[in-house]
Amino acid sequence: MTYSKYSCNRKHCKNCPFFSTSVFSALKGEILDRVSDSKHFHHFKKGQVIFNEGNFPLGVFCVSRGKIKIHKLGHDGKEHILRFAGEGDLVGYRSFLTNESYAGTATALEETVVCVFPKDEVFQALKENADFSLRLINLLSKDLKKAEYQLTEISQKTVRERLAEALLLLKERYGLEEKKQLLQVTLTREEIASMIGSTTETVIRTLNDFRKEGIIEFFGRKIAINNLQSLIKTANVND
Protein backbone atom coordinates (compact mmCIF):
# COMPACT_ATOMS: atom_id res chain seq x y z
CA MET A 1 0.00 0.00 0.00
CA THR A 2 1.48 3.35 -1.05
CA TYR A 3 0.59 6.67 0.57
CA SER A 4 1.54 10.20 -0.35
CA LYS A 5 2.37 12.17 2.80
CA TYR A 6 0.35 15.28 3.65
CA SER A 7 1.51 18.07 5.92
CA CYS A 8 -1.23 19.16 8.32
CA ASN A 9 -1.21 21.99 10.85
CA ARG A 10 -3.54 20.06 13.16
CA LYS A 11 -0.81 17.74 14.40
CA HIS A 12 -2.36 17.16 17.81
CA CYS A 13 -5.78 15.52 17.91
CA LYS A 14 -6.99 18.19 20.34
CA ASN A 15 -6.71 20.74 17.50
CA CYS A 16 -9.01 18.78 15.22
CA PRO A 17 -12.47 20.40 14.82
CA PHE A 18 -14.05 16.95 15.13
CA PHE A 19 -12.23 15.98 18.32
CA SER A 20 -15.15 16.64 20.70
CA THR A 21 -17.37 14.12 18.87
CA SER A 22 -14.59 11.62 18.19
CA VAL A 23 -13.94 8.43 20.15
CA PHE A 24 -10.44 9.82 20.74
CA SER A 25 -11.90 12.51 23.00
CA ALA A 26 -12.16 9.76 25.65
CA LEU A 27 -8.35 9.80 25.87
CA LYS A 28 -6.68 12.22 28.25
CA GLY A 29 -3.23 13.50 29.14
CA GLU A 30 -0.23 11.35 28.38
CA ILE A 31 -2.24 8.63 26.61
CA LEU A 32 -3.82 11.14 24.22
CA ASP A 33 -0.44 12.76 23.57
CA ARG A 34 1.13 9.40 22.79
CA VAL A 35 -1.65 8.29 20.43
CA SER A 36 -1.74 11.68 18.72
CA ASP A 37 2.03 11.75 18.22
CA SER A 38 1.98 8.26 16.69
CA LYS A 39 -0.34 9.09 13.79
CA HIS A 40 0.61 9.94 10.23
CA PHE A 41 -1.29 12.04 7.69
CA HIS A 42 -1.79 10.61 4.22
CA HIS A 43 -3.30 12.20 1.14
CA PHE A 44 -5.39 10.39 -1.47
CA LYS A 45 -6.62 11.67 -4.80
CA LYS A 46 -10.15 10.98 -6.02
CA GLY A 47 -10.49 7.31 -6.92
CA GLN A 48 -7.42 6.15 -5.00
CA VAL A 49 -7.78 3.12 -2.75
CA ILE A 50 -7.09 3.66 0.96
CA PHE A 51 -7.22 -0.02 1.83
CA ASN A 52 -8.22 -3.15 -0.06
CA GLU A 53 -10.71 -5.87 0.76
CA GLY A 54 -8.83 -8.93 2.01
CA ASN A 55 -5.85 -7.04 3.43
CA PHE A 56 -5.10 -7.14 7.15
CA PRO A 57 -5.27 -3.86 9.09
CA LEU A 58 -2.09 -2.18 10.29
CA GLY A 59 -3.97 0.55 12.12
CA VAL A 60 -7.10 2.70 12.27
CA PHE A 61 -8.00 5.44 9.81
CA CYS A 62 -9.69 8.71 10.78
CA VAL A 63 -10.94 11.02 8.03
CA SER A 64 -9.41 14.47 8.45
CA ARG A 65 -10.72 15.87 5.18
CA GLY A 66 -12.78 14.51 2.30
CA LYS A 67 -15.20 11.66 1.64
CA ILE A 68 -14.80 7.90 1.39
CA LYS A 69 -16.94 5.00 0.18
CA ILE A 70 -16.62 1.49 1.62
CA HIS A 71 -17.53 -1.09 -1.00
CA LYS A 72 -16.98 -4.69 -2.05
CA LEU A 73 -17.48 -6.93 -5.06
CA GLY A 74 -20.47 -9.24 -4.97
CA HIS A 75 -20.66 -12.73 -6.45
CA ASP A 76 -22.06 -11.08 -9.58
CA GLY A 77 -18.83 -9.12 -9.99
CA LYS A 78 -20.60 -5.82 -9.37
CA GLU A 79 -19.65 -3.22 -6.79
CA HIS A 80 -21.84 -2.96 -3.71
CA ILE A 81 -21.46 0.14 -1.55
CA LEU A 82 -21.64 -0.76 2.14
CA ARG A 83 -21.42 2.71 3.66
CA PHE A 84 -19.88 6.15 3.42
CA ALA A 85 -17.48 8.02 5.67
CA GLY A 86 -16.74 11.70 6.06
CA GLU A 87 -14.72 14.09 8.16
CA GLY A 88 -14.26 12.88 11.72
CA ASP A 89 -15.27 9.27 10.95
CA LEU A 90 -13.25 6.17 11.79
CA VAL A 91 -12.66 3.72 8.96
CA GLY A 92 -11.37 0.16 9.13
CA TYR A 93 -11.75 -0.11 12.89
CA ARG A 94 -14.01 -3.20 12.85
CA SER A 95 -11.39 -5.36 11.14
CA PHE A 96 -8.81 -3.89 13.48
CA LEU A 97 -10.85 -4.90 16.57
CA THR A 98 -11.49 -8.46 15.33
CA ASN A 99 -8.01 -8.88 13.80
CA GLU A 100 -9.61 -9.99 10.54
CA SER A 101 -9.01 -8.91 6.98
CA TYR A 102 -10.98 -5.96 5.63
CA ALA A 103 -14.48 -6.95 4.52
CA GLY A 104 -14.55 -4.12 1.98
CA THR A 105 -12.40 -1.67 0.06
CA ALA A 106 -12.16 2.01 1.00
CA THR A 107 -11.87 4.48 -1.89
CA ALA A 108 -11.62 8.27 -1.86
CA LEU A 109 -14.61 10.01 -3.47
CA GLU A 110 -12.65 13.26 -3.67
CA GLU A 111 -9.33 14.69 -2.47
CA THR A 112 -9.09 13.10 0.96
CA VAL A 113 -6.71 13.25 3.93
CA VAL A 114 -6.73 10.55 6.59
CA CYS A 115 -4.93 10.18 9.90
CA VAL A 116 -3.48 6.69 10.30
CA PHE A 117 -3.10 5.48 13.90
CA PRO A 118 -0.74 2.50 14.32
CA LYS A 119 -2.31 -0.74 15.50
CA ASP A 120 -0.10 -1.20 18.58
CA GLU A 121 -0.73 2.31 19.90
CA VAL A 122 -4.50 2.01 19.60
CA PHE A 123 -4.53 -1.42 21.27
CA GLN A 124 -2.46 -0.04 24.13
CA ALA A 125 -4.91 2.86 24.54
CA LEU A 126 -7.80 0.38 24.63
CA LYS A 127 -6.11 -1.48 27.47
CA GLU A 128 -5.43 1.68 29.44
CA ASN A 129 -8.71 3.53 28.98
CA ALA A 130 -12.05 1.80 29.56
CA ASP A 131 -14.07 4.77 28.28
CA PHE A 132 -12.21 4.63 24.97
CA SER A 133 -13.01 0.91 24.67
CA LEU A 134 -16.69 1.50 25.45
CA ARG A 135 -16.96 4.24 22.83
CA LEU A 136 -15.52 1.95 20.17
CA ILE A 137 -17.96 -0.80 21.19
CA ASN A 138 -20.82 1.70 21.01
CA LEU A 139 -19.70 2.79 17.55
CA LEU A 140 -19.54 -0.83 16.43
CA SER A 141 -23.06 -1.47 17.76
CA LYS A 142 -24.45 1.51 15.87
CA ASP A 143 -22.83 0.35 12.63
CA LEU A 144 -24.28 -3.14 13.06
CA LYS A 145 -27.73 -1.65 13.68
CA LYS A 146 -27.46 0.38 10.47
CA ALA A 147 -26.37 -2.71 8.51
CA GLU A 148 -29.36 -4.70 9.79
CA TYR A 149 -31.68 -1.83 8.89
CA GLN A 150 -30.30 -1.64 5.35
CA LEU A 151 -30.85 -5.38 4.82
CA THR A 152 -34.46 -5.01 5.92
CA GLU A 153 -35.02 -1.99 3.69
CA ILE A 154 -33.64 -3.72 0.59
CA SER A 155 -35.94 -6.71 1.11
CA GLN A 156 -39.11 -4.77 1.95
CA LYS A 157 -39.02 -1.46 0.07
CA THR A 158 -39.52 -0.65 -3.60
CA VAL A 159 -36.68 0.76 -5.72
CA ARG A 160 -38.42 4.13 -5.68
CA GLU A 161 -38.52 4.15 -1.88
CA ARG A 162 -34.93 2.95 -1.55
CA LEU A 163 -33.65 5.57 -3.97
CA ALA A 164 -35.45 8.36 -2.14
CA GLU A 165 -34.05 7.12 1.16
CA ALA A 166 -30.53 6.91 -0.32
CA LEU A 167 -30.74 10.59 -1.32
CA LEU A 168 -31.87 11.44 2.21
CA LEU A 169 -28.97 9.44 3.62
CA LEU A 170 -26.50 11.36 1.45
CA LYS A 171 -28.09 14.64 2.53
CA GLU A 172 -27.81 13.69 6.21
CA ARG A 173 -24.25 12.40 5.81
CA TYR A 174 -22.73 15.16 3.69
CA GLY A 175 -25.23 18.04 3.75
CA LEU A 176 -26.49 20.43 1.07
CA GLU A 177 -24.95 23.46 -0.55
CA GLU A 178 -27.06 26.42 0.55
CA LYS A 179 -27.75 28.23 -2.74
CA LYS A 180 -28.99 25.41 -4.97
CA GLN A 181 -29.58 22.74 -2.30
CA LEU A 182 -27.06 20.50 -4.06
CA LEU A 183 -25.92 17.32 -2.37
CA GLN A 184 -22.33 17.91 -1.27
CA VAL A 185 -21.16 14.65 -2.74
CA THR A 186 -21.06 13.55 -6.37
CA LEU A 187 -21.73 9.90 -7.17
CA THR A 188 -22.10 8.18 -10.50
CA ARG A 189 -25.46 6.62 -11.31
CA GLU A 190 -23.70 3.25 -11.04
CA GLU A 191 -22.60 4.05 -7.49
CA ILE A 192 -26.12 5.09 -6.51
CA ALA A 193 -27.44 1.85 -7.98
CA SER A 194 -24.93 -0.14 -5.93
CA MET A 195 -26.15 1.65 -2.79
CA ILE A 196 -29.70 0.46 -3.18
CA GLY A 197 -29.22 -2.92 -4.85
CA SER A 198 -30.68 -1.96 -8.22
CA THR A 199 -29.57 -1.54 -11.83
CA THR A 200 -28.10 1.63 -13.27
CA GLU A 201 -30.87 1.81 -15.86
CA THR A 202 -33.58 1.66 -13.18
CA VAL A 203 -31.85 4.35 -11.11
CA ILE A 204 -31.56 6.66 -14.12
CA ARG A 205 -35.24 6.16 -14.97
CA THR A 206 -36.39 6.71 -11.37
CA LEU A 207 -34.22 9.82 -10.93
CA ASN A 208 -35.78 11.23 -14.08
CA ASP A 209 -39.22 10.50 -12.60
CA PHE A 210 -38.22 12.41 -9.44
CA ARG A 211 -37.06 15.33 -11.60
CA LYS A 212 -40.33 15.42 -13.55
CA GLU A 213 -42.22 15.44 -10.24
CA GLY A 214 -40.20 18.43 -9.05
CA ILE A 215 -38.57 16.52 -6.19
CA ILE A 216 -35.01 16.89 -7.47
CA GLU A 217 -33.08 18.70 -10.19
CA PHE A 218 -29.88 17.90 -12.07
CA PHE A 219 -26.88 20.18 -12.41
CA GLY A 220 -24.53 18.05 -14.48
CA ARG A 221 -23.81 15.00 -12.34
CA LYS A 222 -24.85 16.82 -9.17
CA ILE A 223 -28.31 16.40 -7.68
CA ALA A 224 -30.30 19.15 -5.98
CA ILE A 225 -33.18 18.40 -3.61
CA ASN A 226 -36.03 20.74 -4.52
CA ASN A 227 -38.77 19.29 -2.34
CA LEU A 228 -37.52 17.66 0.84
CA GLN A 229 -40.95 16.79 2.22
CA SER A 230 -41.92 15.00 -0.99
CA LEU A 231 -38.65 13.08 -0.88
CA ILE A 232 -39.31 12.02 2.73
CA LYS A 233 -42.83 10.95 1.80
CA THR A 234 -41.55 9.00 -1.20
CA ALA A 235 -38.95 7.26 0.95
CA ASN A 236 -41.69 6.23 3.40
CA VAL A 237 -39.71 7.33 6.43
CA ASN A 238 -40.52 9.57 9.36
CA ASP A 239 -39.16 13.15 9.19
Side-chain angles (χ1 to χ4, degrees):
M1 189 184 304
T2 302
Y3 300 112
S4 57
K5 292 291 184 69
Y6 176 78
S7 177
C8 181
N9 60 7
R10 296 201 303 263
K11 175 60 179 174
H12 200 289
C13 290
K14 289 187 295 187
N15 297 325
C16 176
F18 314 106
F19 178 70
S20 63
T21 57
S22 167
V23 295
F24 290 104
S25 64
L27 301 177
K28 309 295 180 184
E30 182 182 334
I31 300 176
L32 175 59
D33 292 340
R34 190 182 68 232
V35 170
S36 182
D37 289 343
S38 72
K39 72 177 182 289
H40 299 281
F41 297 95
H42 298 290
H43 174 267
F44 297 89
K45 296 179 180 180
K46 179 179 179 180
Q48 280 192 309
V49 171
I50 297 164
F51 59 75
N52 278 294
E53 178 181 353
N55 287 354
F56 277 86
L58 299 176
V60 176
F61 300 83
C62 185
V63 185
S64 177
R65 189 184 73 193
K67 302 176 180 70
I68 295 172
K69 66 175 179 179
I70 314 297
H71 55 102
K72 68 180 303 174
L73 290 179
H75 297 300
D76 54 5
K78 294 182 180 179
E79 176 187 272
H80 296 270
I81 294 180
L82 305 175
R83 66 187 184 97
F84 295 94
E87 294 170 345
D89 287 339
L90 284 188
V91 181
Y93 76 94
R94 282 176 289 179
S95 297
F96 158 78
L97 287 174
T98 58
N99 198 30
E100 297 176 338
S101 60
Y102 292 119
T105 297
T107 301
L109 290 170
E110 62 183 33
E111 293 282 327
T112 297
V113 177
V114 297
C115 303
V116 185
F117 295 85
K119 186 175 183 178
D120 291 344
E121 287 293 347
V122 179
F123 264 130
Q124 187 61 33
L126 287 170
K127 294 177 181 177
E128 296 175 345
N129 189 298
D131 189 25
F132 182 49
S133 300
L134 288 173
R135 291 195 190 190
L136 271 179
I137 292 171
N138 183 258
L139 185 61
L140 178 61
S141 299
K142 288 180 178 178
D143 280 348
L144 288 173
K145 182 179 179 180
K146 289 178 183 177
E148 291 172 353
Y149 175 78
Q150 288 175 344
L151 286 173
T152 302
E153 295 298 281
I154 288 176
S155 64
Q156 296 183 356
K157 284 194 170 185
T158 65
V159 170
R160 183 179 169 89
E161 289 173 326
R162 298 201 307 267
L163 180 55
E165 188 165 4
L167 295 178
L168 290 173
L169 183 152
L170 292 173
K171 169 190 170 293
E172 179 182 351
R173 187 67 200 77
Y174 295 121
L176 298 174
E177 295 178 10
E178 291 185 8
K179 290 185 178 180
K180 294 183 178 180
Q181 297 297 292
L182 292 168
L183 288 171
Q184 294 197 69
V185 61
T186 303
L187 300 179
T188 66
R189 302 308 187 244
E190 290 83 1
E191 286 173 325
I192 296 174
S194 76
M195 282 181 66
I196 66 172
S198 184
T199 64
T200 304
E201 294 75 15
T202 300
V203 164
I204 292 173
R205 184 171 60 251
T206 308
L207 284 173
N208 282 325
D209 288 342
F210 287 176
R211 180 183 59 80
K212 292 174 183 177
E213 295 165 23
I215 299 174
I216 64 171
E217 188 53 80
F218 301 137
F219 292 88
R221 285 174 54 192
K222 288 184 173 290
I223 297 174
I225 297 178
N226 289 344
N227 192 325
L228 180 59
Q229 291 305 314
S230 291
L231 191 64
I232 292 171
K233 183 177 180 180
T234 302
N236 193 22
V237 296
N238 296 321
D239 188 2

